[in-house]
Amino acid sequence: MYGYRLRTWIYRRLILAITFFLTWFTLASWSDNAFEKYHSVLNAALILIGIHFYAMALEHIRRNRELFNWGFRVRFEHVCFFSAFSFFAICIFPLKDSFFPEWLHLAATGLGVSGITFLMLGWYEMWSRGWWLSIIGLGIGIFLLVTAFAAKVPWQVGHGEFMIMLCGLAFFEDIKEK
């Protein structure tokens, strides 16, 4: 293994390690670490996630695979670029910023989650095993994230973020080139 495959393999392991740390050993949400003690760790995770999506868009062997046809073709690389820039935007618009409003961060986060959702649902054939696993995993992650954000529950927003990230990493491991 070398080149792009090795880089993305390393990115996925680093993303897992850093987000595990952010989820289980820091504040309630990854984004709550903005301008706090682990601000640099948060930025490292977001940048690595963005770089991973960017590398997949540029170099994956099936980057030209059509995921959707909505009157125009939406290919794998388009959704990967969209997701990459969404995660870079999360980094640019942190929570607790005095210049940018908080809704920009929330919008970028929603777009990033939408990007990985569209990737997974477009890649797998509808009703297939992969499609169902994606729906269930992302559904659990989004449920954890939204309920922790909106109500007093025993889990934190970071747990939902981590579940969504695990679904994304499992997806990329599943579609990796052999």
Side-chain angles (χ1 to χ4, degrees), residues 38-131:
Y38 296 112
H39 181 77
S40 298
V41 177
L42 169 66
N43 285 343
L46 294 172
I47 291 168
L48 277 170
I49 292 169
I51 289 171
H52 181 269
F53 276 113
Y54 198 78
M56 295 297 280
L58 290 176
E59 301 186 56
H60 192 274
I61 196 166
R62 303 281 313 269
R63 66 184 169 274
N64 289 319
R65 178 180 176 164
E66 184 177 321
L67 299 182
F68 302 100
N69 190 340
W70 296 325
F72 55 91
R73 292 180 49 193
V74 179
R75 296 191 313 253
F76 178 80
E77 66 180 343
H78 298 148
V79 183
C80 280
F81 281 132
F82 174 83
S83 299
F85 293 123
S86 296
F87 278 95
F88 293 144
I90 295 169
C91 195
I92 293 168
F93 306 122
L95 284 182
K96 306 176 203 167
D97 189 70
S98 58
F99 186 72
F100 294 112
E102 188 173 298
W103 68 266
L104 287 173
H105 174 81
L106 298 175
T109 302
L111 292 173
V113 171
S114 298
I116 190 61
T117 302
F118 281 122
L119 269 178
M120 294 169 76
L121 298 183
W123 186 273
Y124 296 115
E125 186 176 327
M126 189 176 278
W127 311 115
S128 68
R129 181 178 182 270
W131 187 86

